[in-house]
């Protein structure tokens, strides 16, 4: 978590625009992906899952959710150590938007510590930050469209292929409310 906090400090120092929890997650993914591609290892040792809009780092996203939801952790919760490590370097502001919560990062007293990264990691971090610091902005649409593809049985085709019965059963299955 010290590396993650330091990279956020570095992005604040480089004045990365629109730096919030979503952009941090994407930038961490890009750094790890790029570094693994060229150096055969990750910088942050994080696992990423495909989120609805972008790749999400599992541990970092969980910590960001704890902050966003203002959760209180039990004393024996292992995540306290990770959370404290993150908060030793940064102050995190919770901003409630109309449809979501955003986390913004505020630099504290700590400075970026490049000694915790090797030369290749620093090269990757610098490359990704410089490449995406101005270009990338997360946009949340004010309206979403629900797309529901239609399902139909075409009699001529299903008769030709001998699939009338199974096609009609599938259609009945798709129409049931609990299967929607």
């Amino acid at each position: 978590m010290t590396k993650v906090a330091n990279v956020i400090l570095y992005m604040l120092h480089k004045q990365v625009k629109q730096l919030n929890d979503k952009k941090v997650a994407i930038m961490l993914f890009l750094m790890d992906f790029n570094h693994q591609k060229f150096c055969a290892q990750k910088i942050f040792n994080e696992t990423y899952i495909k989120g609805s809009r972008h790749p999400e780092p599992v541990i970092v996203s969980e910590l960001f959710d704890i902050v966003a939801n203002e959760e209180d952790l039990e004393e024996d919760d292992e995540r306290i150590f990770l959370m404290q490590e993150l908060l030793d370097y940064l102050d995190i502001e919770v901003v409630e938007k109309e449809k979501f919560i955003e986390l913004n990062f505020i630099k504290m007293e700590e400075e970026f510590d490049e000694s915790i990264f090797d030369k290749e990691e620093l090269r990757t971090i610098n490359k990704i930050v410089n490449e995406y610091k101005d270009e990338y902005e997360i946009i949340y649409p004010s309206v979403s469209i629900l797309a529901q593809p239609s399902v139909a049985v075409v009699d001529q085709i299903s008769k030709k292929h001998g699939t009338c019965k199974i096609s009609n059963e599938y259609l009945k299955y798709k129409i049931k409310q609990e299967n929607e």
Side-chain angles (χ1 to χ4, degrees):
M1 197 49 57
T2 301
K3 283 187 170 185
V4 171
N6 266 278
V7 164
I8 296 171
L9 284 174
Y10 182 71
M11 288 190 277
L12 287 168
H13 173 73
K14 288 290 191 174
Q15 298 178 341
V16 173
K17 292 182 180 176
Q18 311 291 325
L19 188 61
N20 58 29
D21 53 317
K22 304 298 185 235
K23 187 162 186 179
V24 166
I26 293 167
M27 296 286 274
L28 293 177
F29 170 76
L30 291 171
M31 289 172 194
D32 264 349
F33 178 79
N34 193 286
H35 197 69
Q36 188 167 18
K37 183 177 175 182
F38 295 105
C39 300
Q41 64 185 20
K42 293 180 180 180
I43 297 173
F44 307 106
N45 217 12
E46 176 70 271
T47 302
Y48 298 87
I49 58 172
K50 183 180 177 189
S52 60
R53 297 181 185 262
H54 56 83
E56 293 185 24
V58 175
I59 296 170
V60 172
S61 290
E62 187 176 340
L63 295 178
F64 288 170
D65 286 345
I66 290 168
V67 172
N69 298 321
E70 299 177 355
E71 277 182 50
D72 288 328
L73 298 176
E74 299 293 325
E75 287 183 29
D76 59 342
D77 193 323
E78 296 171 359
R79 298 172 296 176
I80 285 182
F81 174 73
L82 297 173
M83 186 64 72
Q84 188 58 51
E85 202 170 356
L86 185 65
L87 294 174
D88 281 347
Y89 292 87
L90 302 159
D91 194 14
I92 302 175
E93 176 187 30
V94 178
V95 179
E96 291 190 37
K97 302 280 184 160
E98 188 175 323
K99 296 183 180 184
F100 60 93
I101 295 174
E102 180 178 274
L103 301 180
N104 293 322
F105 302 94
I106 301 162
K107 183 181 171 199
M108 293 176 47
E109 307 274 325
E110 298 290 329
E111 294 293 325
F112 173 67
D113 182 7
E114 66 181 53
S115 68
I116 63 173
F117 300 98
D118 66 37
K119 185 177 164 183
E120 294 302 318
E121 289 173 338
L122 285 170
R123 184 176 290 132
T124 300
I125 292 166
N126 190 43
K127 175 186 172 194
I128 297 298
V129 168
N130 286 330
E131 190 171 337
Y132 295 102
K133 73 178 190 177
D134 295 326
E135 292 181 21
Y136 186 78
E137 179 181 348
I138 297 174
I139 299 172
Y140 297 96
S142 59
V143 177
S144 293
I145 298 172
L146 177 61
Q148 296 179 325
S150 301
V151 177
V153 175
V154 180
D155 291 335
Q156 287 179 326
I157 304 289
S158 61
K159 284 178 187 173
K160 178 181 175 184
H161 294 285
T163 58
C164 286
K165 187 175 179 180
I166 191 115
S167 299
N168 286 319
E169 289 300 317
Y170 179 71
L171 185 60
K172 288 177 190 172
Y173 168 78
K174 289 299 283 180
I175 292 173
K176 287 183 183 175
Q177 186 63 28
E178 65 269 9
N179 296 327
E180 274 296 308

